[in-house]
Amino acid sequence: MSKLIVSLSPHAHGTDTVERNMYGVMIALLPALLVSFYFFGLGSAVVCATSVIACVFFEWAINKFILGRQQNTILDGSAALTGLLLGFNLPSNLPIWIIVIGALVAIGVGKMTFGGLGQNIFNPALVGRCFLLVSFPAQMTTWPKVGHLLTYPVSSGPADGMTGATPLYYMKQAIKNGDVKELEKVPDALSMFLGNGYADGAGTIGEICALALLLGLVYMLWKKIITWHIPVSIIGTVFVLAALLHLANPIYADPFTVILSGGLMLGAIFMATDYVTSPMTPKGQIIYGVSIGVLTLVIRNWGSYPEGMSFAVLIMNAFTPLINMYVKPKRFGEVPEKK
């Protein structure tokens, strides 16, 4: 057992706690949650509530019946936050049984398998989301049209009034077919910034309004829950590279459209900034963010999936220990000279 060495007083007392940060992130998600209620109504409420309840239940059950822990962790907010973030990455018409499976994978595989909070290698919500995307591609890419606010499909198949074309789909088709006219079907950047670009649905619950997500970013920066390094480095990298590609060939969308489409803003602000799975030092966080930005564009433009944010974050989660090992803060003190 290693010894805990405590330095001489005075000691600086920090106000940070797990509960404060977890519930702080959930407060930051409230604007985007309210916007999703406005666009998707009952569907958004059902998906998010189911995801949160299922994640909390599975954490309680695994702690009690599998790990045999006397002290449970469901009140620290981490399981509820995982559930909310998982819900934000799902369509608002996803059947309940699929949501429950995603919650089980997120908590049981993405979190508790590694030992629980603070020990997981990958972001649990993204583990659940990517598992569902690979396992149920049809349901995960079928979107309800806005206006069906009081309906929620209970079957596993596409319901009436569904649409499957997202802005990312049209951007992908423009690259695939070499036809710049496909980009005319993409909503303008201002509409996507305000949320009006998704009038036909075609998006997950949490990616609808970039403005709402930025309000959450401002709140977390104000409360010092996160720092600017990861979100700014991701968004900045994508913006610069997208601008260069657009200048080289107009079949690639303009940089404003690229950063406002899909789950890039949601991933950069709320998924990539997870304490456990992101680097500890500012320099390491910038390396991590730039890498996520590059991978996201590579997957979006030349990969099989129109969206690449989730996969990029998970890939870089695996490199976080390596970044922490080689990117360390400057050591203070004097090394005695050998004589």
PDB file of all heavy atoms in Angstrom, residues 305-331:
ATOM      1  N   TYR A 305     -19.769   6.042 -42.134  1.00  0.00           N
ATOM      2  CA  TYR A 305     -20.845   6.730 -41.438  1.00  0.00           C
ATOM      3  C   TYR A 305     -20.811   8.225 -41.746  1.00  0.00           C
ATOM      4  O   TYR A 305     -19.742   8.830 -41.824  1.00  0.00           O
ATOM      5  CB  TYR A 305     -20.726   6.530 -39.929  1.00  0.00           C
ATOM      6  CG  TYR A 305     -21.092   5.139 -39.466  1.00  0.00           C
ATOM      7  CD1 TYR A 305     -20.117   4.165 -39.292  1.00  0.00           C
ATOM      8  CD2 TYR A 305     -22.416   4.800 -39.203  1.00  0.00           C
ATOM      9  CE1 TYR A 305     -20.441   2.883 -38.872  1.00  0.00           C
ATOM     10  CE2 TYR A 305     -22.757   3.525 -38.776  1.00  0.00           C
ATOM     11  CZ  TYR A 305     -21.774   2.571 -38.612  1.00  0.00           C
ATOM     12  OH  TYR A 305     -22.112   1.315 -38.202  1.00  0.00           O
ATOM     13  N   PRO A 306     -21.999   8.845 -41.895  1.00  0.00           N
ATOM     14  CA  PRO A 306     -22.029  10.304 -42.088  1.00  0.00           C
ATOM     15  C   PRO A 306     -21.498  11.064 -40.880  1.00  0.00           C
ATOM     16  O   PRO A 306     -20.902  12.123 -41.022  1.00  0.00           O
ATOM     17  CB  PRO A 306     -23.519  10.604 -42.317  1.00  0.00           C
ATOM     18  CG  PRO A 306     -24.120   9.307 -42.732  1.00  0.00           C
ATOM     19  CD  PRO A 306     -23.329   8.243 -42.024  1.00  0.00           C
ATOM     20  N   GLU A 307     -21.735  10.531 -39.672  1.00  0.00           N
ATOM     21  CA  GLU A 307     -21.285  11.175 -38.439  1.00  0.00           C
ATOM     22  C   GLU A 307     -20.054  10.463 -37.907  1.00  0.00           C
ATOM     23  O   GLU A 307     -19.978   9.230 -37.953  1.00  0.00           O
ATOM     24  CB  GLU A 307     -22.399  11.149 -37.386  1.00  0.00           C
ATOM     25  CG  GLU A 307     -22.023  11.761 -36.040  1.00  0.00           C
ATOM     26  CD  GLU A 307     -21.638  13.230 -36.143  1.00  0.00           C
ATOM     27  OE1 GLU A 307     -20.469  13.494 -36.500  1.00  0.00           O
ATOM     28  OE2 GLU A 307     -22.480  14.091 -35.877  1.00  0.00           O
ATOM     29  N   GLY A 308     -19.081  11.214 -37.404  1.00  0.00           N
ATOM     30  CA  GLY A 308     -17.869  10.592 -36.895  1.00  0.00           C
ATOM     31  C   GLY A 308     -17.472  11.033 -35.507  1.00  0.00           C
ATOM     32  O   GLY A 308     -16.460  10.581 -34.972  1.00  0.00           O
ATOM     33  N   MET A 309     -18.275  11.908 -34.894  1.00  0.00           N
ATOM     34  CA  MET A 309     -17.894  12.486 -33.605  1.00  0.00           C
ATOM     35  C   MET A 309     -17.779  11.429 -32.511  1.00  0.00           C
ATOM     36  O   MET A 309     -16.804  11.396 -31.764  1.00  0.00           O
ATOM     37  CB  MET A 309     -18.916  13.562 -33.207  1.00  0.00           C
ATOM     38  CG  MET A 309     -18.516  14.363 -31.990  1.00  0.00           C
ATOM     39  SD  MET A 309     -17.061  15.377 -32.345  1.00  0.00           S
ATOM     40  CE  MET A 309     -16.498  15.760 -30.707  1.00  0.00           C
ATOM     41  N   SER A 310     -18.783  10.571 -32.407  1.00  0.00           N
ATOM     42  CA  SER A 310     -18.781   9.567 -31.340  1.00  0.00           C
ATOM     43  C   SER A 310     -17.585   8.630 -31.449  1.00  0.00           C
ATOM     44  O   SER A 310     -16.913   8.338 -30.455  1.00  0.00           O
ATOM     45  CB  SER A 310     -20.085   8.759 -31.380  1.00  0.00           C
ATOM     46  OG  SER A 310     -21.196   9.587 -31.159  1.00  0.00           O
ATOM     47  N   PHE A 311     -17.320   8.158 -32.663  1.00  0.00           N
ATOM     48  CA  PHE A 311     -16.200   7.244 -32.861  1.00  0.00           C
ATOM     49  C   PHE A 311     -14.864   7.944 -32.605  1.00  0.00           C
ATOM     50  O   PHE A 311     -13.943   7.350 -32.039  1.00  0.00           O
ATOM     51  CB  PHE A 311     -16.232   6.668 -34.276  1.00  0.00           C
ATOM     52  CG  PHE A 311     -17.433   5.813 -34.554  1.00  0.00           C
ATOM     53  CD1 PHE A 311     -18.461   6.278 -35.355  1.00  0.00           C
ATOM     54  CD2 PHE A 311     -17.541   4.551 -34.011  1.00  0.00           C
ATOM     55  CE1 PHE A 311     -19.584   5.497 -35.614  1.00  0.00           C
ATOM     56  CE2 PHE A 311     -18.656   3.751 -34.259  1.00  0.00           C
ATOM     57  CZ  PHE A 311     -19.676   4.234 -35.058  1.00  0.00           C
ATOM     58  N   ALA A 312     -14.761   9.208 -33.001  1.00  0.00           N
ATOM     59  CA  ALA A 312     -13.518   9.945 -32.779  1.00  0.00           C
ATOM     60  C   ALA A 312     -13.233  10.113 -31.295  1.00  0.00           C
ATOM     61  O   ALA A 312     -12.088   9.957 -30.851  1.00  0.00           O
ATOM     62  CB  ALA A 312     -13.605  11.315 -33.463  1.00  0.00           C
ATOM     63  N   VAL A 313     -14.260  10.426 -30.509  1.00  0.00           N
ATOM     64  CA  VAL A 313     -14.068  10.592 -29.063  1.00  0.00           C
ATOM     65  C   VAL A 313     -13.651   9.270 -28.428  1.00  0.00           C
ATOM     66  O   VAL A 313     -12.726   9.226 -27.598  1.00  0.00           O
ATOM     67  CB  VAL A 313     -15.351  11.130 -28.404  1.00  0.00           C
ATOM     68  CG1 VAL A 313     -15.208  11.140 -26.881  1.00  0.00           C
ATOM     69  CG2 VAL A 313     -15.659  12.544 -28.897  1.00  0.00           C
ATOM     70  N   LEU A 314     -14.307   8.178 -28.803  1.00  0.00           N
ATOM     71  CA  LEU A 314     -13.961   6.878 -28.224  1.00  0.00           C
ATOM     72  C   LEU A 314     -12.544   6.456 -28.594  1.00  0.00           C
ATOM     73  O   LEU A 314     -11.821   5.881 -27.770  1.00  0.00           O
ATOM     74  CB  LEU A 314     -14.963   5.813 -28.691  1.00  0.00           C
ATOM     75  CG  LEU A 314     -16.363   5.893 -28.085  1.00  0.00           C
ATOM     76  CD1 LEU A 314     -17.270   4.829 -28.686  1.00  0.00           C
ATOM     77  CD2 LEU A 314     -16.311   5.725 -26.562  1.00  0.00           C
ATOM     78  N   ILE A 315     -12.138   6.727 -29.829  1.00  0.00           N
ATOM     79  CA  ILE A 315     -10.769   6.390 -30.247  1.00  0.00           C
ATOM     80  C   ILE A 315      -9.758   7.151 -29.396  1.00  0.00           C
ATOM     81  O   ILE A 315      -8.773   6.588 -28.905  1.00  0.00           O
ATOM     82  CB  ILE A 315     -10.562   6.698 -31.739  1.00  0.00           C
ATOM     83  CG1 ILE A 315     -11.356   5.707 -32.594  1.00  0.00           C
ATOM     84  CG2 ILE A 315      -9.080   6.631 -32.117  1.00  0.00           C
ATOM     85  CD1 ILE A 315     -11.408   6.062 -34.066  1.00  0.00           C
ATOM     86  N   MET A 316     -10.003   8.450 -29.203  1.00  0.00           N
ATOM     87  CA  MET A 316      -9.061   9.250 -28.424  1.00  0.00           C
ATOM     88  C   MET A 316      -9.147   8.956 -26.931  1.00  0.00           C
ATOM     89  O   MET A 316      -8.174   9.179 -26.205  1.00  0.00           O
ATOM     90  CB  MET A 316      -9.279  10.735 -28.692  1.00  0.00           C
ATOM     91  CG  MET A 316      -8.849  11.168 -30.087  1.00  0.00           C
ATOM     92  SD  MET A 316      -7.185  10.594 -30.556  1.00  0.00           S
ATOM     93  CE  MET A 316      -6.169  11.326 -29.274  1.00  0.00           C
ATOM     94  N   ASN A 317     -10.288   8.455 -26.449  1.00  0.00           N
ATOM     95  CA  ASN A 317     -10.360   7.972 -25.063  1.00  0.00           C
ATOM     96  C   ASN A 317      -9.296   6.914 -24.811  1.00  0.00           C
ATOM     97  O   ASN A 317      -8.668   6.873 -23.743  1.00  0.00           O
ATOM     98  CB  ASN A 317     -11.742   7.360 -24.779  1.00  0.00           C
ATOM     99  CG  ASN A 317     -12.842   8.379 -24.591  1.00  0.00           C
ATOM    100  OD1 ASN A 317     -14.020   8.039 -24.594  1.00  0.00           O
ATOM    101  ND2 ASN A 317     -12.475   9.643 -24.434  1.00  0.00           N
ATOM    102  N   ALA A 318      -9.083   6.055 -25.812  1.00  0.00           N
ATOM    103  CA  ALA A 318      -8.094   4.982 -25.670  1.00  0.00           C
ATOM    104  C   ALA A 318      -6.673   5.528 -25.604  1.00  0.00           C
ATOM    105  O   ALA A 318      -5.779   4.883 -25.026  1.00  0.00           O
ATOM    106  CB  ALA A 318      -8.218   3.998 -26.838  1.00  0.00           C
ATOM    107  N   PHE A 319      -6.444   6.712 -26.184  1.00  0.00           N
ATOM    108  CA  PHE A 319      -5.107   7.306 -26.179  1.00  0.00           C
ATOM    109  C   PHE A 319      -4.874   8.237 -24.991  1.00  0.00           C
ATOM    110  O   PHE A 319      -3.751   8.724 -24.816  1.00  0.00           O
ATOM    111  CB  PHE A 319      -4.877   8.076 -27.487  1.00  0.00           C
ATOM    112  CG  PHE A 319      -4.588   7.203 -28.664  1.00  0.00           C
ATOM    113  CD1 PHE A 319      -5.612   6.758 -29.483  1.00  0.00           C
ATOM    114  CD2 PHE A 319      -3.292   6.809 -28.947  1.00  0.00           C
ATOM    115  CE1 PHE A 319      -5.348   5.951 -30.575  1.00  0.00           C
ATOM    116  CE2 PHE A 319      -3.013   6.002 -30.033  1.00  0.00           C
ATOM    117  CZ  PHE A 319      -4.055   5.562 -30.852  1.00  0.00           C
ATOM    118  N   THR A 320      -5.909   8.487 -24.192  1.00  0.00           N
ATOM    119  CA  THR A 320      -5.763   9.396 -23.058  1.00  0.00           C
ATOM    120  C   THR A 320      -4.668   8.966 -22.079  1.00  0.00           C
ATOM    121  O   THR A 320      -3.857   9.801 -21.653  1.00  0.00           O
ATOM    122  CB  THR A 320      -7.105   9.561 -22.327  1.00  0.00           C
ATOM    123  OG1 THR A 320      -8.017  10.256 -23.190  1.00  0.00           O
ATOM    124  CG2 THR A 320      -6.947  10.354 -21.041  1.00  0.00           C
ATOM    125  N   PRO A 321      -4.583   7.681 -21.680  1.00  0.00           N
ATOM    126  CA  PRO A 321      -3.485   7.289 -20.784  1.00  0.00           C
ATOM    127  C   PRO A 321      -2.111   7.559 -21.379  1.00  0.00           C
ATOM    128  O   PRO A 321      -1.180   7.952 -20.672  1.00  0.00           O
ATOM    129  CB  PRO A 321      -3.718   5.784 -20.573  1.00  0.00           C
ATOM    130  CG  PRO A 321      -5.167   5.579 -20.842  1.00  0.00           C
ATOM    131  CD  PRO A 321      -5.505   6.559 -21.926  1.00  0.00           C
ATOM    132  N   LEU A 322      -1.974   7.368 -22.690  1.00  0.00           N
ATOM    133  CA  LEU A 322      -0.695   7.621 -23.358  1.00  0.00           C
ATOM    134  C   LEU A 322      -0.370   9.113 -23.342  1.00  0.00           C
ATOM    135  O   LEU A 322       0.777   9.506 -23.097  1.00  0.00           O
ATOM    136  CB  LEU A 322      -0.759   7.103 -24.793  1.00  0.00           C
ATOM    137  CG  LEU A 322       0.574   6.940 -25.528  1.00  0.00           C
ATOM    138  CD1 LEU A 322       1.424   5.879 -24.853  1.00  0.00           C
ATOM    139  CD2 LEU A 322       0.325   6.577 -26.990  1.00  0.00           C
ATOM    140  N   ILE A 323      -1.377   9.951 -23.591  1.00  0.00           N
ATOM    141  CA  ILE A 323      -1.170  11.399 -23.549  1.00  0.00           C
ATOM    142  C   ILE A 323      -0.778  11.835 -22.138  1.00  0.00           C
ATOM    143  O   ILE A 323       0.154  12.643 -21.950  1.00  0.00           O
ATOM    144  CB  ILE A 323      -2.438  12.139 -24.018  1.00  0.00           C
ATOM    145  CG1 ILE A 323      -2.718  11.837 -25.494  1.00  0.00           C
ATOM    146  CG2 ILE A 323      -2.289  13.651 -23.808  1.00  0.00           C
ATOM    147  CD1 ILE A 323      -4.026  12.404 -26.003  1.00  0.00           C
ATOM    148  N   ASN A 324      -1.455  11.291 -21.137  1.00  0.00           N
ATOM    149  CA  ASN A 324      -1.124  11.638 -19.751  1.00  0.00           C
ATOM    150  C   ASN A 324       0.293  11.210 -19.373  1.00  0.00           C
ATOM    151  O   ASN A 324       0.963  11.859 -18.567  1.00  0.00           O
ATOM    152  CB  ASN A 324      -2.122  10.992 -18.788  1.00  0.00           C
ATOM    153  CG  ASN A 324      -3.470  11.695 -18.785  1.00  0.00           C
ATOM    154  OD1 ASN A 324      -3.561  12.895 -19.045  1.00  0.00           O
ATOM    155  ND2 ASN A 324      -4.525  10.960 -18.482  1.00  0.00           N
ATOM    156  N   MET A 325       0.760  10.135 -19.986  1.00  0.00           N
ATOM    157  CA  MET A 325       2.094   9.627 -19.655  1.00  0.00           C
ATOM    158  C   MET A 325       3.199  10.522 -20.222  1.00  0.00           C
ATOM    159  O   MET A 325       4.212  10.776 -19.560  1.00  0.00           O
ATOM    160  CB  MET A 325       2.250   8.198 -20.194  1.00  0.00           C
ATOM    161  CG  MET A 325       3.606   7.567 -19.902  1.00  0.00           C
ATOM    162  SD  MET A 325       3.741   5.884 -20.575  1.00  0.00           S
ATOM    163  CE  MET A 325       2.450   5.041 -19.663  1.00  0.00           C
ATOM    164  N   TYR A 326       2.993  11.015 -21.438  1.00  0.00           N
ATOM    165  CA  TYR A 326       4.061  11.746 -22.116  1.00  0.00           C
ATOM    166  C   TYR A 326       3.905  13.264 -22.078  1.00  0.00           C
ATOM    167  O   TYR A 326       4.862  13.988 -22.342  1.00  0.00           O
ATOM    168  CB  TYR A 326       4.163  11.278 -23.568  1.00  0.00           C
ATOM    169  CG  TYR A 326       4.743   9.888 -23.696  1.00  0.00           C
ATOM    170  CD1 TYR A 326       3.926   8.794 -23.938  1.00  0.00           C
ATOM    171  CD2 TYR A 326       6.112   9.664 -23.541  1.00  0.00           C
ATOM    172  CE1 TYR A 326       4.443   7.513 -24.046  1.00  0.00           C
ATOM    173  CE2 TYR A 326       6.642   8.396 -23.641  1.00  0.00           C
ATOM    174  CZ  TYR A 326       5.808   7.322 -23.892  1.00  0.00           C
ATOM    175  OH  TYR A 326       6.334   6.059 -23.990  1.00  0.00           O
ATOM    176  N   VAL A 327       2.719  13.744 -21.781  1.00  0.00           N
ATOM    177  CA  VAL A 327       2.497  15.187 -21.702  1.00  0.00           C
ATOM    178  C   VAL A 327       2.247  15.552 -20.246  1.00  0.00           C
ATOM    179  O   VAL A 327       1.142  15.394 -19.729  1.00  0.00           O
ATOM    180  CB  VAL A 327       1.309  15.626 -22.582  1.00  0.00           C
ATOM    181  CG1 VAL A 327       1.148  17.140 -22.528  1.00  0.00           C
ATOM    182  CG2 VAL A 327       1.511  15.159 -24.013  1.00  0.00           C
ATOM    183  N   LYS A 328       3.290  16.022 -19.598  1.00  0.00           N
ATOM    184  CA  LYS A 328       3.215  16.318 -18.174  1.00  0.00           C
ATOM    185  C   LYS A 328       3.573  17.777 -17.925  1.00  0.00           C
ATOM    186  O   LYS A 328       4.326  18.381 -18.696  1.00  0.00           O
ATOM    187  CB  LYS A 328       4.165  15.408 -17.388  1.00  0.00           C
ATOM    188  CG  LYS A 328       3.822  13.928 -17.493  1.00  0.00           C
ATOM    189  CD  LYS A 328       4.797  13.080 -16.701  1.00  0.00           C
ATOM    190  CE  LYS A 328       4.442  11.600 -16.806  1.00  0.00           C
ATOM    191  NZ  LYS A 328       5.397  10.746 -16.060  1.00  0.00           N
ATOM    192  N   PRO A 329       3.038  18.362 -16.855  1.00  0.00           N
ATOM    193  CA  PRO A 329       3.387  19.754 -16.549  1.00  0.00           C
ATOM    194  C   PRO A 329       4.835  19.884 -16.121  1.00  0.00           C
ATOM    195  O   PRO A 329       5.483  18.907 -15.718  1.00  0.00           O
ATOM    196  CB  PRO A 329       2.438  20.104 -15.396  1.00  0.00           C
ATOM    197  CG  PRO A 329       2.098  18.788 -14.774  1.00  0.00           C
ATOM    198  CD  PRO A 329       2.084  17.795 -15.893  1.00  0.00           C
ATOM    199  N   LYS A 330       5.364  21.086 -16.237  1.00  0.00           N
ATOM    200  CA  LYS A 330       6.753  21.350 -15.871  1.00  0.00           C
ATOM    201  C   LYS A 330       6.951  21.109 -14.382  1.00  0.00           C
ATOM    202  O   LYS A 330       6.161  21.540 -13.549  1.00  0.00           O
ATOM    203  CB  LYS A 330       7.113  22.799 -16.208  1.00  0.00           C
ATOM    204  CG  LYS A 330       8.557  23.155 -15.908  1.00  0.00           C
ATOM    205  CD  LYS A 330       8.858  24.597 -16.295  1.00  0.00           C
ATOM    206  CE  LYS A 330      10.303  24.959 -15.970  1.00  0.00           C
ATOM    207  NZ  LYS A 330      10.605  26.362 -16.326  1.00  0.00           N
ATOM    208  N   ARG A 331       8.031  20.426 -14.059  1.00  0.00           N
ATOM    209  CA  ARG A 331       8.337  20.153 -12.659  1.00  0.00           C
ATOM    210  C   ARG A 331       9.109  21.320 -12.061  1.00  0.00           C
ATOM    211  O   ARG A 331      10.052  21.837 -12.663  1.00  0.00           O
ATOM    212  CB  ARG A 331       9.163  18.874 -12.537  1.00  0.00           C
ATOM    213  CG  ARG A 331       8.405  17.624 -12.958  1.00  0.00           C
ATOM    214  CD  ARG A 331       9.251  16.383 -12.781  1.00  0.00           C
ATOM    215  NE  ARG A 331       8.547  15.180 -13.154  1.00  0.00           N
ATOM    216  CZ  ARG A 331       9.060  13.951 -13.094  1.00  0.00           C
ATOM    217  NH1 ARG A 331      10.307  13.791 -12.659  1.00  0.00           N
ATOM    218  NH2 ARG A 331       8.344  12.904 -13.462  1.00  0.00           N
TER     219      ARG A 331
END
